[in-house]
Amino acid sequence: MWSPYADGHCTPPLPPSSGLILALCLVLTQLRVEGPGHLLTATMGQDVVLPCRLSPQRDARSLEVRWTWDDFSKTVHHYRDGEDLYEEQMGAYVGRTELARDGLSAGSLDLRIMGLRPSDDGLYFCTVEDADAYAETIVELEVSATGADPHLSLGGYEAGGVRVLCRSAGWYPLPQLLWRDARGQHLPSVSQTHSQDQEGLFEIEGAVIVTGSVEGPLSCVVRNNRLQQERESSLHIAAPFFHNAHPWKVALALVLVLLAVSIGLGVYLFRKQACPGLSSAPDGLAPSVPAVKVTLDPDTAHPGLLLSKDNSSVRRESEWQQVPDTLERFRYWWCVLGCEEFREGRHCWLVEVEGESLKYSWWAVGVARASVKRNGYFNRSPDEGIWAVESCYEHLKSLTSPPTYLSLSAVPTRIWVCLDCTQGQVSFINADNGVEIFTFTAVSFNGESIQPWFLLWTQGIQLSLGTSCPSPDTPQTPLLAPAGAAQE
């Protein structure tokens, strides 16, 4: 079973210090646990069993067994000395977990979770230990829900056509909303929003402008990419509805579009000629937001991270660096901050993820308050002053509280991080196709300075800050198909 930690275990590695650590490593090999070896999928409301067993088989009744979620501080179920201990159990799991006692004597550590919720989605860690040994494995669970059939309605005349609205609720994770004409061709949405209810289910709403040139029925499709299931509803708009759509509005809209394109082209050419070695920020965050030059702050870098000489890239090393032990330096999470501090305005920078082991990597990019905690464990969430997206084991999630797993076909490796101090937003955009990945809205920075934030937990991976001028293929309208957004 793969482990996100570079040394093959699922616990944060200790700094090299003495021969005692070597002896400890030898002891850790005395226990071995195995998970299912594959992804588990389940539907909201169902019960699920998370498999975990000792190998080779042995009696586990005298061992300490702990199941945790997302990281090692969030206890799902705890068993020790023949008793279930609930003092540390997360409130969301109270009365919903059960360790299979009848299998303990045969080495089975299976955990049953009853009445699945969207918040149960994620990585679970099965750990077992006694006085002399310790072992662990990871079980990944994906929870899904298919929502209701889309509801279509007319929203009035707009831009020479008719505005059509589509709404559907009860989905997890965040679904994709698409428009199709009678020939199956996709039509672009003019707007798209979503929200999450108390149970964590998503409601999504989109709008499209339909003109008389669209023949036949119009279809709205809402799709759960995780389950490969979709719901579809259709609407046929009769020709008389288009008679009141004024032609002069179409002409005016066309003139405005051409004017905007001309201005945008001029700005792009000007910036391309004047580029001093920086990538142009995505034009979709108009008015044009110039990319800022971000450098990494070596005084904040975890000792296990190695920065390049120009402080433009970072990678994890097996041996800790000999660096001063300062209050600014991260000591638990393998993090580093950018030197730049922002209090106002809008700023974008490009982060590129490179390496041969991307499939088994764990990294995160975003922003953090200047006062973010440096020493000891802390949650990577807005509650602790961090707004970021994180990739672990080829799964991308936004570090909301709780985390929101994003339904993407592939994890991007070139990401624009865009900070809007004025509007209180932090956006992440796929730099290869211009599609929005996630946006934190209504963010409260509490008047503090905000700095770029990076986390790198696995070896063989490098985070680099983009430093090249835009190529002709750089997407010019990134906000085409939002994958996710959330209130803080």
Side-chain angles (χ1 to χ4, degrees):
M1 184 67 180
W2 168 86
S3 166
Y5 302 97
D7 58 4
H9 294 87
C10 288
T11 51
L14 298 171
S17 58
S18 69
L20 176 61
I21 293 179
L22 177 59
L24 177 60
C25 291
L26 294 176
V27 171
L28 292 181
T29 61
Q30 294 179 5
L31 277 178
R32 182 166 177 259
V33 288
E34 294 181 347
H38 60 81
L39 175 71
L40 298 182
T41 59
T43 303
M44 177 181 169
Q46 291 182 341
D47 295 354
V48 67
V49 174
L50 307 183
C52 181
R53 60 186 177 85
L54 292 171
S55 177
Q57 178 179 318
R58 57 169 284 189
D59 192 338
R61 287 176 293 184
S62 63
L63 301 177
E64 180 175 2
V65 180
R66 186 188 297 268
W67 282 89
T68 58
W69 175 83
D70 188 51
D71 58 44
F72 292 93
S73 69
K74 301 174 182 177
T75 300
V76 176
H77 197 95
H78 188 194
Y79 168 90
R80 185 177 61 204
D81 297 331
E83 294 184 3
D84 295 308
L85 307 177
Y86 298 105
E87 291 83 359
E88 302 175 4
Q89 187 178 41
M90 294 173 61
Y93 291 94
V94 172
R96 299 176 51 232
T97 62
E98 180 183 39
L99 194 69
R101 295 290 193 92
D102 55 351
L104 286 173
S105 60
S108 173
L109 314 175
D110 293 356
L111 180 72
R112 177 183 296 275
I113 303 178
M114 294 163 278
L116 281 179
R117 305 170 181 175
S119 59
D120 297 331
D121 190 284
L123 299 177
Y124 289 80
F125 299 84
C126 173
T127 62
V128 58
E129 61 182 302
D130 58 16
D132 301 316
Y134 172 92
E136 63 195 26
T137 191
I138 296 178
V139 180
E140 184 176 8
L141 174 66
E142 284 190 349
V143 180
S144 302
T146 301
D149 290 337
H151 174 73
L152 293 170
S153 60
L154 299 181
Y157 296 106
E158 184 176 335
V162 178
R163 186 181 185 91
V164 183
L165 305 175
C166 176
R167 181 187 295 110
S168 181
W171 296 85
Y172 190 84
L174 181 66
Q176 186 178 18
L177 188 149
L178 302 170
W179 294 95
R180 294 177 185 154
D181 61 17
R183 295 172 294 178
Q185 299 296 314
H186 289 286
L187 303 175
S189 295
V190 295
S191 68
Q192 195 170 118
T193 61
H194 67 267
S195 60
Q196 236 175 328
D197 63 20
Q198 293 182 346
E199 293 183 341
L201 296 175
F202 286 96
E203 178 180 8
I204 190 167
E205 179 176 335
V208 67
I209 304 298
V210 181
T211 64
S213 62
V214 178
E215 300 178 356
L218 173 71
S219 296
C220 174
V221 179
V222 182
R223 175 188 300 158
N224 186 323
N225 289 325
R226 180 176 287 181
L227 293 175
Q228 293 300 307
Q229 294 180 357
E230 60 184 37
R231 304 278 192 184
E232 181 175 354
S233 295
S234 299
L235 176 71
H236 185 88
I237 305 177
F241 276 94
F242 297 105
H243 293 168
N244 293 328
H246 304 294
W248 67 269
K249 291 185 179 180
V250 178
L252 178 59
L254 180 61
V255 171
L256 292 176
V257 169
L258 292 175
L259 181 60
V261 170
S262 299
I263 295 175
L265 180 61
V267 171
Y268 168 73
L269 292 176
F270 172 78
R271 285 158 64 182
K272 185 174 182 181
Q273 292 174 351
C275 178
L278 287 177
S279 294
S280 174
D283 293 343
L285 297 178
S288 56
V289 182
V292 295
K293 180 177 177 59
V294 169
T295 54
L296 303 174
D297 184 355
D299 293 334
T300 65
H302 186 282
L305 298 179
L306 179 63
L307 275 57
S308 61
K309 292 183 178 180
D310 61 357
N311 295 330
S312 66
S313 65
V314 57
R315 69 177 187 268
R316 176 179 163 175
E317 292 292 302
S318 58
E319 295 185 1
W320 285 22
Q321 310 302 305
Q322 298 299 316
V323 292
D325 187 6
T326 63
L327 295 177
E328 292 79 16
R329 191 173 306 283
F330 287 95
R331 279 290 177 178
Y332 183 90
W333 294 114
W334 300 60
C335 300
V336 61
L337 294 177
C339 293
E340 292 68 28
E341 297 187 14
F342 306 106
R343 283 181 173 268
E344 58 185 17
R346 291 182 290 177
H347 315 275
C348 292
W349 55 92
L350 180 64
V351 183
E352 300 181 77
V353 187
E354 303 167 318
E356 299 179 355
S357 305
L358 294 177
K359 183 176 181 180
Y360 304 108
S361 63
W362 183 354
W363 51 267
V365 297
V367 300
R369 292 194 185 108
S371 62
V372 66
K373 188 175 180 180
R374 313 298 171 90
N375 195 12
Y377 174 84
F378 58 86
N379 285 322
R380 306 176 309 286
S381 70
D383 296 337
E384 296 288 347
I386 293 173
W387 296 267
V389 293
E390 180 176 285
S391 175
C392 182
Y393 195 21
E394 277 199 317
H395 289 276
L396 192 69
K397 62 182 177 181
S398 61
L399 295 182
T400 50
S401 184
T404 300
Y405 283 80
L406 305 176
S407 180
L408 300 178
S409 57
V411 175
T413 56
R414 299 177 67 246
I415 298 176
W416 283 108
V417 181
C418 296
L419 168 67
D420 190 331
C421 299
T422 305
Q423 297 296 324
Q425 292 186 355
V426 182
S427 298
F428 302 89
I429 300 167
N430 186 335
D432 290 325
N433 57 19
V435 173
E436 181 184 3
I437 300 169
F438 192 86
T439 295
F440 291 88
T441 61
V443 174
S444 175
F445 298 127
N446 294 339
E448 289 192 43
S449 296
I450 303 300
Q451 296 176 252
W453 176 85
F454 310 85
L455 177 145
L456 187 56
W457 202 267
T458 44
Q459 295 183 32
I461 300 298
Q462 177 172 286
L463 299 180
S464 301
L465 294 159
T467 57
S468 59
C469 282
S471 69
D473 297 328
T474 300
Q476 298 300 304
T477 53
L479 305 184
L480 297 179
Q487 300 292 328
E488 183 190 14

